[in-house]
Amino acid sequence: MNKFIFVSGGVCSSLGKGVAASSLGALLEGRGLNVRMVKCDPYINVDAGTMNPYQHGEVYVTDDGAETDLDLGNYARFTQSPLSRANSITTGQIYESVIRNEREGRFLGHTIQVIPHITDEIKGRITAVAKEDPDTDVVIVEIGGTVGDIESIPFLEAARQMIHEQGRSNAISIHLTLIPEVAQHELKTKPTQHSVKAMQEQGIQPDLLICRAPVMLDDATCRKIASFTNVDYEAVFVSYDVDTTTYELPLIFYEQGLDQVVLKKMGVETRHANLKPWKKMMEQFHRRKGTVRIGIVGKYMELHDAYKSVYEALFHAGLANEVVVEIVKIDSARLEEAADAESVLGANGTSPVDGILIPGGFGSRGINGMVKAATWAREHKIPFFGICLGMQIMVIEWGREVLKWADADSTEFNQNAKHAVVSLLEEQIDITNLGGTMRLGKSESVAINSSKIHTAYGERHIFERHRHRYEFANKYRVEMSGSGLILGAFTPDASLVESVEWPDHPWGLGVQFHPEFKSKPIAAHPLFRDFIAAAKARVQ
Ligand code: GLN
């Protein structure tokens, strides 16, 4: 069975299209279907790797090393869909390959046009995801942007063609719109009516509507929406604001029968719905007691999306430990200027915290503030978690404060540091100028026995994703470990250090990879789980 569900959005962006598409994915998986998620992004960048986090939020990295849109992170958190380069389609990729084919003469002299060449390329890529695994039942394709945008037209046209070619029971359209509230408690359906008209102008009649609204809509409003949009009344759903968590959305949609209507439209027999993991997760949510305050010391603090997966993973860890995790955003530049870390992070400081996390990052701004936070956490035995850049900060801090090498640094920040404790690999130095030296995607690390990282995973062989250029400098291994820093994990050939731990410390651990990409609400990542457990133990 190969079915396609196209999820588009109207009225405005940021309505939670990705979360709605993912929640549907979770529900269909609960019904025993094999689901694949695909994101179509209308921007012309080939991938999200070069995008500034301020503009586009976090870069989500897949096992095969693709640097993708953060929506893939939603898919990973809600569904079991394998995610790779193939699941993230951008206008840039589409044009790049059509133009390459044209240059290679593959179109035999034809004039290359948006229809059919660009739309064929889009359809080909979507179909390829369905074909990748013969067991795939449903491909959910989220079309980025808003109907009416110039950029998304080719994607909507490709969807229209696929719905037409596959037949309505094999390909359906779900449209997400906004029901705004004006004056007091007046909910307006007009923007939704217009949005569906805009879809119809593209030749697509939505089969289902998901209306984002501040509250559940009453029957009369749903009937009115249905009658104005040619959508069945039973196919109008409401994604209302929740004060719990967006992870409740699969259960909210289930209550309204979303998956049942989708299955019916696609002619799939109704199967038993297993939503146990989601129900259990909500029970954990309601059982949470007490609060731990986790300081995130980073660069891009103003924009929540820049560390999206890290924040989500902390929330998951809070569920697993049944404690509320309060995130305290600390701009590392501010910490750099502060007289001492205590006055910011300490019990009487401006931002008192029970644990500190330093996430990934690039560039030298605020580095000394991060080092200051690490020293403070190490000396005061505050649980500390360093991710990628955060692990490199632990190594620099150890060099400066324990080994007393005042100039210990990464060559990313100081090319001339005598003690370059974090640096490029020798063999990388010449190729850096050519770019493309980033270590990206999944690889194996092996933990040493009885390290904290080993305890967390309950397993010595660890598979996680990387996205970095610099490494723990091997020539300092002896001095670092001789002075007590625990080198907790290595690549299988032992050529690279993958994790460090502080000795005589409740939980101070850094990893060169990005565990946040693999955490799920129904399965918290073991490192985040243990970090929050340590912070919780400190509070109690
Ligand atoms: N800037 C560092 C490097 O390139 C860390 C990267 C990261 O944290 N993702 O190695």
Side-chain angles (χ1 to χ4, degrees):
M1 167 167 60
N2 265 176
K3 308 270 184 190
F4 298 90
I5 300 174
F6 293 96
V7 181
S8 58
V11 184
C12 62
S13 59
S14 303
L15 295 182
K17 201 166 11 127
V19 169
S22 308
S23 298
L24 174 61
L27 286 180
L28 296 180
E29 284 178 349
R31 298 265 181 184
L33 297 180
N34 205 332
V35 176
R36 293 286 181 280
M37 305 292 303
V38 174
K39 176 79 193 284
C40 294
D41 272 305
Y43 49 70
I44 298 174
N45 304 58
V46 170
D47 63 34
T50 55
M51 287 182 169
N52 183 334
Y54 275 125
Q55 277 197 22
H56 207 75
E58 145 192 294
V59 172
Y60 185 83
V61 180
T62 57
D63 276 350
D64 65 343
E67 299 178 280
T68 71
D69 198 84
L70 51 73
D71 265 316
L72 267 75
N74 281 324
Y75 306 161
R77 289 184 277 274
F78 281 85
T79 77
Q80 310 297 326
S81 168
L83 297 167
S84 73
R85 197 170 296 281
N87 301 67
S88 170
I89 304 174
T90 68
T91 297
Q93 289 165 23
I94 298 291
Y95 275 84
E96 192 186 41
S97 75
V98 170
I99 291 171
R100 194 180 340 103
N101 286 337
E102 184 271 333
R103 292 289 85 186
E104 288 171 8
R106 301 218 181 154
F107 295 113
L108 308 172
H110 283 279
T111 309
I112 311 307
Q113 295 177 300
V114 172
I115 306 170
H117 300 97
I118 295 298
T119 47
D120 279 354
E121 180 69 26
I122 296 169
K123 289 194 293 178
R125 286 181 183 233
I126 293 170
T127 319
V129 173
K131 296 271 174 282
E132 217 169 60
D133 172 359
D135 292 333
T136 300
D137 296 311
V138 184
V139 182
I140 299 179
V141 185
E142 180 190 347
I143 300 176
T146 308
V147 61
D149 293 348
I150 291 174
E151 293 93 335
S152 41
I153 292 174
F155 289 104
L156 288 170
E157 169 59 15
R160 184 197 67 75
Q161 291 177 22
M162 281 188 75
I163 293 168
H164 175 68
E165 288 157 7
Q166 305 271 334
R168 286 215 83 91
S169 66
N170 289 324
I172 63 171
S173 154
I174 300 184
H175 191 59
L176 198 88
T177 71
L178 177 69
I179 307 284
E181 187 175 356
V182 296
Q184 246 197 345
H185 306 306
E186 254 208 81
L187 295 164
K188 292 295 183 189
T189 65
K190 190 74 86 192
T192 295
Q193 298 174 33
H194 282 297
S195 186
V196 173
K197 280 212 179 78
M199 286 295 285
Q200 290 163 345
E201 276 166 25
Q202 298 294 321
I204 301 177
Q205 167 62 50
D207 298 280
L208 286 86
L209 291 182
I210 297 179
C211 303
R212 180 71 197 269
V215 291
M216 184 63 196
L217 301 178
D218 60 23
D219 228 38
T221 311
C222 290
R223 283 193 193 281
K224 181 174 168 194
I225 293 168
S227 85
F228 274 107
T229 57
N230 286 346
V231 173
D232 297 339
Y233 160 70
E234 60 157 23
V236 177
F237 298 92
V238 188
S239 171
Y240 52 84
D241 293 351
V242 286
D243 54 9
T244 49
T245 156
T246 49
Y247 295 121
E248 195 173 10
L249 214 52
L251 295 173
I252 289 172
F253 284 156
Y254 174 76
E255 288 291 315
Q256 296 179 36
L258 175 73
D259 49 334
Q260 250 180 345
V261 173
V262 167
L263 292 176
K264 193 169 139 201
K265 297 258 178 214
M266 299 192 306
V268 180
E269 251 174 64
T270 309
R271 308 157 178 218
H272 169 73
N274 174 13
L275 294 172
K276 266 199 214 118
W278 295 95
K279 289 186 179 146
K280 186 180 149 224
M281 185 263 311
M282 283 312 295
E283 282 161 22
Q284 287 176 322
F285 176 88
H286 291 294
R287 270 204 306 267
R288 293 177 310 162
K289 257 207 344 253
T291 302
V292 294
R293 291 169 52 91
I294 301 299
I296 314 272
V297 182
K299 260 173 83 165
Y300 313 106
M301 301 321 299
E302 303 90 326
L303 184 75
H304 190 78
D305 275 355
Y307 301 119
K308 172 96 175 140
S309 293
V310 170
Y311 297 144
E312 295 301 317
L314 286 169
F315 180 79
H316 307 159
L319 292 172
N321 286 288
E322 298 184 359
V323 67
V324 176
V325 175
E326 187 187 324
I327 287 170
V328 184
K329 298 179 178 177
I330 300 163
D331 186 339
S332 50
R334 178 163 79 91
L335 202 54
E336 204 166 283
E337 288 154 17
D340 54 53
E342 183 94 43
S343 63
V344 178
L345 306 167
N348 300 317
T350 51
S351 312
V353 295
D354 310 308
I356 292 177
L357 187 152
I358 298 186
F362 295 82
S364 61
R365 186 167 65 83
I367 292 299
N368 291 335
M370 296 179 195
V371 172
K372 223 180 203 175
T375 307
W376 191 78
R378 186 173 54 76
E379 290 179 345
H380 293 80
K381 305 209 184 295
I382 311 292
F384 178 94
F385 192 9
I387 295 178
C388 206
L389 172 65
M391 174 189 125
Q392 298 173 357
I393 294 291
M394 284 174 83
V395 176
I396 295 169
E397 193 274 335
W398 190 271
R400 288 186 193 174
E401 300 298 326
V402 178
L403 291 164
K404 303 291 175 203
W405 299 331
D407 72 337
D409 219 326
S410 162
T411 50
E412 180 179 4
F413 317 127
N414 178 5
Q415 289 268 344
N416 306 317
K418 213 170 98 232
H419 293 93
V421 292
V422 175
S423 65
L424 293 176
L425 296 178
E426 290 294 317
E427 59 269 31
Q428 273 181 328
I429 291 173
D430 293 338
I431 32 173
T432 31
N433 295 337
L434 304 176
T437 51
M438 192 110 86
R439 190 164 162 227
L440 278 168
K442 176 169 119 174
S443 64
E444 181 176 352
S445 306
V446 184
I448 60 165
N449 265 326
S450 319
S451 53
K452 287 208 172 64
I453 188 167
H454 180 203
T455 311
Y457 284 87
E459 164 70 72
R460 288 189 56 214
H461 297 271
I462 297 164
F463 295 86
E464 294 282 3
R465 299 175 200 156
H466 292 75
R467 181 174 186 251
H468 64 107
R469 212 168 257 125
Y470 296 83
E471 303 280 354
F472 180 110
N474 284 328
K475 70 173 182 192
Y476 293 107
R477 272 197 202 183
V478 174
E479 280 151 299
M480 289 276 174
S481 58
S483 53
L485 186 68
I486 300 162
L487 309 184
F490 300 86
T491 46
D493 64 359
S495 66
L496 300 174
V497 175
E498 296 278 34
S499 175
V500 301
E501 295 176 19
W502 286 331
D504 311 317
H505 190 279
W507 209 90
L509 194 151
V511 288
Q512 191 57 80
F513 45 76
H514 288 273
E516 69 272 25
F517 294 139
K518 286 173 70 171
S519 187
K520 291 174 192 280
I522 57 173
H525 190 285
L527 290 175
F528 282 88
R529 184 199 61 210
D530 284 10
F531 168 54
I532 294 301
K536 183 177 166 185
R538 203 188 123 76
V539 177
Q540 281 166 351

